[in-house]
Amino acid sequence: MNLVRKVSAVAVAAILSACSSTPVDNSPKNLTTVVTAKTTLNGLYMPDNKGTQTIYTRENMRAIDQTAEFDSFYMRWANFDYTTVFRIEDNLLWQIDNDKEKYRECPLSGCTTGFDEFMAKAQESSDDEEEYETYADKSCNVELVKNDFTIAATNQQRRISGLLSEEFKATWTTEFKDENGKVDLNLIQFVFWTTTPNEEMTAAWKVHKKSTENYLSKVGDKNALVRLLGEDGFKAIQGFSGDVESSDSQQKNMISQKLSVIKGYPLSIKMEWFQKNEACPSAKKKRSDNNLDFSEGLGNAATSFFGNIIKDEADKAVDKVVAEWQKDARVRYLYEITSVSEELVHDSQFQIPHGFTIEDRQ
């Protein structure tokens, strides 16, 4: 056999070997709603990352493939590729780590972690520790002077994923004023770009609605969000996110009524949280106001005094930087849909991948 024949034989063998190692999916295919999207998360409180999401939905099951990659080299360890599978009829939820080829099996209402339980116990056993300093902790009296929720069409239009869309803005503003007239301001703004739903989007709403109803009938108030908001509130959140048609919500409170202004299928949703804190300022003592210590001689006392003046000026510079830093959004989240379709999808999409090992069962 000459060299050419030898090389050809090796190449063919390599191809056949590769093909034989690729598992063949022989599971049945069934009609499934498929929604794909891109996500972006950043802000002062969040490390920048971008990701993708694909949601597969049938009336009695749902699978969410989600990936994220962090921009910072030091956050690369946090990159993930997860799939969450909801098996509604079986009352099961699987959290699948595609990178580690492991999974967790939990009740449909959700998984808990050892860290969650540890933090809950720590919170119960520590009455003097708080996640943040309240107005009471500061011995400061404040008054809620503004609590407004507004929503309106802006009459702006643009094309997203090739579809003509219209803009709606929802704004929730709260202001707390202290005894000196200083104000803490919180502003949460949602920007929606919606389009006239086509047949596939309307079909997706119907499938998602039925899936949500089946999910709620199975989990009841075992879901934390259902316990907090009730079933109608849970459905209202689904409508707010565009998962189901907003008019399906039976909640009749002020916010849900205002949300009914939004018409169409949301192709893009952006949430931003801004904050300005000026109420109840904590007085910062100047370092240069400290009593001078002459125990180690006049020279050391003078060096300490002038050193503290320099540190006070450095503190001012830092405060100025922080003031500029606070002008950006605390959290910014952008969710943009790239496609909505009905497809024949393998049943394996809603199963544990072959060869994956269980990490925990609850």
Side-chain angles (χ1 to χ4, degrees), residues 62-117:
R62 170 173 275 199
I64 303 175
D65 287 343
Q66 190 160 3
T67 67
E69 292 186 359
F70 290 80
D71 291 352
S72 169
F73 172 80
Y74 298 101
M75 288 296 297
R76 296 292 169 82
W77 59 270
N79 292 351
F80 64 81
D81 180 356
Y82 292 153
T83 300
T84 304
V85 177
F86 301 82
R87 300 283 301 199
I88 298 174
E89 288 185 340
D90 302 324
N91 194 26
L92 284 178
L93 181 147
W94 292 319
Q95 290 184 341
I96 303 171
D97 188 327
N98 296 305
D99 291 327
K100 295 181 179 180
E101 298 189 353
K102 295 182 178 181
Y103 70 95
R104 303 172 67 207
E105 183 177 282
C106 310
L108 185 63
S109 55
C111 297
T112 59
T113 65
F115 179 76
D116 293 333
E117 295 173 356

Side-chain angles (χ1 to χ4, degrees), residues 170-349:
T171 303
W172 182 20
T173 307
T174 60
E175 291 184 10
F176 292 88
K177 183 183 292 186
D178 67 13
E179 296 170 335
N180 297 315
K182 297 292 186 180
V183 173
D184 280 354
L185 169 66
N186 281 279
L187 170 65
I188 298 178
Q189 179 174 271
F190 290 89
V191 179
F192 299 85
W193 289 92
T194 70
T195 190
T196 301
N198 56 29
E199 290 184 6
E200 291 186 316
M201 293 173 181
T202 302
W205 269 338
K206 291 180 179 178
V207 173
H208 291 177
K209 177 187 176 183
K210 185 62 177 177
S211 179
T212 298
E213 291 174 346
N214 289 335
Y215 172 82
L216 292 174
S217 67
K218 181 68 72 171
V219 301
D221 62 359
K222 293 179 182 178
N223 179 283
L225 198 58
V226 174
R227 287 198 302 272
L228 179 65
L229 302 175
E231 286 195 6
D232 286 342
F234 185 91
K235 292 177 182 178
I237 294 295
Q238 298 290 89
F240 185 67
S241 65
D243 195 36
V244 298
E245 190 173 4
S246 58
S247 60
D248 287 334
S249 171
Q250 300 302 310
Q251 183 130 332
K252 299 301 180 184
N253 62 29
M254 179 190 68
I255 292 180
S256 63
Q257 289 176 359
K258 289 186 176 182
L259 286 173
S260 65
V261 171
I262 301 176
K263 304 297 182 183
Y265 191 96
L267 295 176
S268 174
I269 303 174
K270 180 170 73 172
M271 186 280 288
E272 292 180 301
W273 171 31
F274 295 91
Q275 191 176 50
K276 182 179 181 181
N277 296 321
E278 293 183 348
C280 310
S282 300
K284 183 181 290 186
K285 185 179 179 181
K286 291 184 178 179
R287 301 170 193 255
S288 54
D289 289 340
N290 295 337
N291 293 328
L292 295 178
D293 181 7
F294 292 98
S295 62
E296 297 185 5
L298 180 63
N300 284 336
T303 299
S304 176
F305 174 73
F306 288 111
N308 284 337
I309 290 178
I310 294 173
K311 290 177 181 178
D312 285 340
E313 293 302 314
D315 286 344
K316 290 180 182 178
V318 170
D319 289 342
K320 185 176 181 181
V321 171
V322 170
E324 290 297 318
W325 179 74
Q326 289 180 339
K327 290 181 180 179
D328 195 8
R330 294 293 191 269
V331 177
R332 179 182 294 108
Y333 179 70
L334 177 63
Y335 181 83
E336 185 168 313
I337 288 177
T338 53
S339 68
V340 180
S341 61
E342 282 190 304
E343 303 176 16
L344 289 172
V345 174
H346 283 287
D347 288 355
S348 60
Q349 180 62 53

